[in-house]
């Protein structure tokens, strides 16, 4: 049975170097998967480390494509996740290697117990939300949590895009102050 | 880059949602060598995660990483940096003012409006005024130049304020590969009684409507005063 995923951006060009658009398509398509693996599956805490490993993984993958080492009839995701997992293992050491499994079964959800400070984080967030207006809470939910664009957020809440834009700026400023006062950045 | 500059960029990234790719990469170079700043970066990223609902691929981080640019370009940038790190660090610090005002897109560089044509210049006068003086049928150009080449699509929209409110002006806008924009028109194409032209520069999706243009938003707004000579 063929495992080819013909909608994979890497298959667009057939053999040879990918064009810039294909790199971008692959990056946008698989970035969330790589992040889920590194943050959820491998539980790498540092956002900076996650972003570094993520970038290195994509660079290696694009190199493999350019050198013809990646068979483009095969699906991208497991191959890319394997590269990311190996990069993570190299960077983070043995702790990361312990959670690695087979090629197509890389853990995308957390392994092990949840963080002990989850309740405290949830409590702080609730407290922060309590200081926001109803409008700002709506923007927080639609834009920050759901990932909606400013336009979509405005449509959902009956606000203009400019109002949404100002609300986003306001929420960020308020969050910086609120959490800063509670020692978040220390 | 020193700690202060890095901290400013970290805070700006949080406040704006992302940084332009060149600033983001300059910051990452510093973070690779500085534990204290990396810890600060992680705390801000952690707060961003909390606001985004603590998912394992939060929209905020996806957005931030897309704003950094495709890693292929990041690699090229790193190889350049080995040679020119000090220069880039200074450039990054100097460009803090160019940060994005819309977290979804890389920031536009600062634009400058330059006028060309008009009655005086056609007559060869050495006098330069801020007012664009137009006699009947005079051709003129309004050129918007970025301080540094702009990445990605940039667009402009022109408006004419009048007593009844601001109206969109359907002017022809041309763009160059480095993001410069040019509006070319003649006096006859302007509505009667015009005394100023507003031009908004932004990403194509961010351009304002006539009712929005004089409010604050993710666009740069320019005003050109106009005098139509009898």
């Amino acid at each position: 049975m063929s495992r080819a995923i013909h909608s994979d951006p890497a298959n667009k060009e057939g053999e040879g170097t990918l064009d810039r658009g294909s790199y971008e398509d692959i990056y946008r398509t698989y970035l969330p998967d790589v992040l889920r693996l590194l943050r959820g599956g491998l539980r790498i805490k540092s956002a900076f480390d996650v972003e570094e490993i993520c970038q290195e993984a994509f660079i290696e993958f694009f190199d493999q494509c350019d050198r013809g080492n990646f068979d483009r009839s095969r699906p991208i995701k497991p191959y890319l996740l394997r590269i990311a997992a190996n990069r993570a293992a190299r960077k983070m050491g043995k702790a990361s290697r312990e959670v690695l499994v087979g090629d197509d079964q890389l853990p995308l959800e957390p392994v092990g117990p949840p963080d002990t400070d989850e309740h405290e984080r949830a409590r702080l967030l609730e407290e922060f939300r309590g200081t926001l207006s109803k409008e700002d809470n709506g923007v927080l939910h639609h834009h920050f949590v759901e990932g909606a664009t400013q336009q979509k957020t405005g449509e959902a809440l009956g606000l203009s895009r400019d109002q949404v834009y100002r609300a986003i700026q306001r929420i960020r400023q308020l969050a910086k102050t609120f959490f800063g006062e509670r020692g978040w950045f220390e | 880059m020193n700690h202060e500059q890095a901290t400013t960029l970290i805070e700006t990234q949080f406040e704006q949602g992302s940084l332009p790719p060149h600033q983001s990469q300059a910051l990452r170079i510093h973070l690779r060598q500085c534990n204290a700043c990396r810890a600060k970066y992680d705390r801000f990223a952690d707060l961003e995660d909390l606001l985004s609902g603590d998912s394992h691929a939060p929209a905020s981080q996806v957005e931030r990483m897309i704003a950094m640019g495709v890693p292929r370009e990041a690699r090229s940038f790193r190889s350049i940096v080995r040679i020119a790190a000090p220069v880039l660090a200074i450039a990054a610090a100097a460009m803090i003012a160019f940060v994005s005002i819309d977290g979804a897109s890389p920031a536009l560089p600062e634009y400058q409006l330059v006028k060309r044509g008009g009655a005086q210049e056609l007559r060869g006068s050495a006098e330069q005024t801020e007012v664009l003086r137009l006699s009947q049928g005079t051709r003129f150009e309004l050129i918007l130049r970025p301080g540094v080449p702009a990445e990605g699509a940039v667009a402009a929209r022109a408006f004419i304020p009048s007593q009844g409110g601001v109206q969109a002006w359907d002017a022809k806008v041309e763009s160059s590969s480095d993001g410069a924009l040019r509006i070319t028109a003649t006096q006859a194409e302007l509505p009667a009684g015009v005394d100023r032209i507003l031009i908004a520069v932004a990403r194509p999706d961010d351009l304002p409507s006539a009712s929005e243009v004089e409010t604050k938003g993710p666009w740069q707004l320019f005003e050109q005063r106009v005098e139509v000579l009898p």
Side-chain angles (χ1 to χ4, degrees):
Chain A
M1 186 175 75
S2 170
R3 297 180 63 204
I5 296 179
H6 296 292
S7 60
D8 266 355
N11 292 331
K12 264 191 191 172
E13 304 296 313
E15 294 304 316
T17 304
L18 295 174
D19 64 18
R20 187 195 161 104
S22 300
Y23 289 124
E24 196 157 342
D25 284 350
I26 291 170
Y27 187 54
R28 284 174 180 270
T29 304
Y30 296 103
L31 180 59
D33 292 317
V34 177
L35 288 176
R36 263 191 294 277
L37 168 71
L38 298 174
R39 295 168 51 110
L42 303 183
R43 285 191 168 270
I44 298 171
K45 289 278 182 204
S46 160
F48 180 75
D49 286 340
V50 165
E51 289 162 12
E52 287 284 280
I53 294 165
C54 202
Q55 286 208 337
E56 293 297 332
F58 275 98
I59 287 169
E60 186 178 331
F61 176 72
F62 294 147
D63 275 350
Q64 303 270 2
C65 288
D66 288 350
R67 288 203 296 263
N69 294 345
F70 172 64
D71 174 2
R72 295 197 199 161
S73 67
R74 295 179 69 83
I76 292 175
K77 188 169 151 182
Y79 192 84
L80 181 58
L81 292 184
R82 167 54 56 189
I83 291 174
N86 286 337
R87 285 266 164 191
R90 237 174 288 164
K91 192 174 179 75
M92 311 309 293
K94 194 169 177 280
S96 306
R97 275 196 293 273
E98 285 174 350
V99 297
L100 298 185
V101 292
D103 265 7
D104 298 338
Q105 298 158 6
L106 289 161
L108 298 180
E109 295 306 320
V111 290
D115 295 334
T116 50
D117 65 351
E118 259 178 29
H119 291 298
E120 177 59 13
R121 290 167 66 89
R123 190 193 63 75
L124 267 179
L125 181 61
E126 268 313 298
E127 196 183 327
F128 173 63
R129 294 191 73 142
T131 67
L132 298 180
S133 66
K134 189 179 170 193
E135 180 182 301
D136 285 356
N137 260 305
V139 171
L140 181 67
H141 174 74
H142 285 278
H143 181 72
F144 287 83
V145 179
E146 299 294 327
T149 61
Q150 293 179 19
Q151 182 75 34
K152 293 279 179 204
T153 302
E155 285 168 12
L157 299 171
L159 301 172
S160 71
R161 218 175 88 171
D162 191 51
Q163 285 174 309
V164 174
Y165 167 77
R166 284 200 296 263
I168 291 167
Q169 302 296 97
R170 191 165 53 239
I171 289 166
R172 289 181 178 281
Q173 281 295 341
L174 289 171
K176 192 175 140 190
T177 306
F178 177 92
F179 287 90
E181 285 170 356
R182 283 152 185 81
W184 186 273
F185 303 112
E186 286 159 14
Chain B
M1 182 177 293
N2 59 33
H3 296 308
E4 240 172 65
Q5 290 165 333
T7 299
T8 303
L9 284 178
I10 290 166
E11 291 185 6
T12 302
Q13 177 169 275
F14 177 76
E15 286 162 8
Q16 310 291 344
S18 63
L19 290 173
H22 60 278
Q23 285 186 3
S24 176
Q25 290 299 337
L27 174 62
R28 299 190 81 77
I29 289 162
H30 176 79
L31 295 181
R32 284 182 196 120
Q33 302 153 358
C34 179
N35 289 338
C37 290
R38 198 158 61 230
K40 194 168 289 180
Y41 181 93
D42 281 342
R43 289 309 286 160
F44 272 99
D46 197 25
L47 177 54
E48 184 89 50
D49 289 352
L50 183 65
L51 295 177
S52 301
D54 269 340
S55 79
H56 294 305
S60 57
Q61 192 172 28
V62 171
E63 194 176 280
R64 188 165 70 236
M65 291 202 66
I66 285 173
M68 282 178 204
V70 179
R72 200 168 176 74
E73 277 82 43
R75 178 184 53 180
S76 310
F77 185 90
R78 275 204 289 278
S79 59
I80 295 165
V81 163
R82 280 191 211 106
I83 304 163
V87 177
L88 286 165
I90 292 164
M95 294 180 85
I96 285 170
F98 295 165
V99 294
S100 170
I101 52 175
D102 180 350
S105 308
L108 289 181
E110 282 184 354
Y111 275 73
Q112 274 196 328
L113 174 62
V114 178
K115 66 180 169 64
R116 266 197 206 151
Q120 286 180 351
E121 288 179 40
L122 287 177
R123 286 201 299 266
S125 165
E127 183 193 354
Q128 294 290 323
T129 66
E130 290 181 4
V131 181
L132 176 64
R133 294 202 167 95
L134 300 171
S135 53
Q136 299 297 317
T138 306
R139 191 170 188 78
F140 64 94
E141 289 180 354
L142 298 174
I143 299 165
L144 293 137
R145 289 201 182 114
V148 294
E151 293 176 28
V154 188
R157 188 172 287 162
F159 302 87
I160 306 285
S162 64
Q163 286 182 341
V166 178
Q167 306 292 322
W169 177 41
D170 188 21
K172 181 185 170 193
V173 181
E174 299 166 288
S175 62
S176 72
S177 58
D178 64 357
L181 301 154
R182 179 173 65 184
I183 294 175
T184 308
T186 64
Q187 173 274 329
E189 292 171 58
L190 290 168
V194 61
D195 63 357
R196 58 194 177 113
I197 299 169
L198 300 178
I199 305 168
V201 177
R203 299 290 177 199
D205 290 344
D206 291 336
L207 284 172
S209 64
S211 61
E212 294 171 325
V213 68
E214 290 187 298
T215 62
K216 193 168 177 279
W219 52 83
Q220 294 177 34
L221 186 63
F222 298 88
E223 181 184 85
Q224 176 61 58
R225 287 165 58 212
V226 177
E227 184 182 344
V228 179
L229 302 172

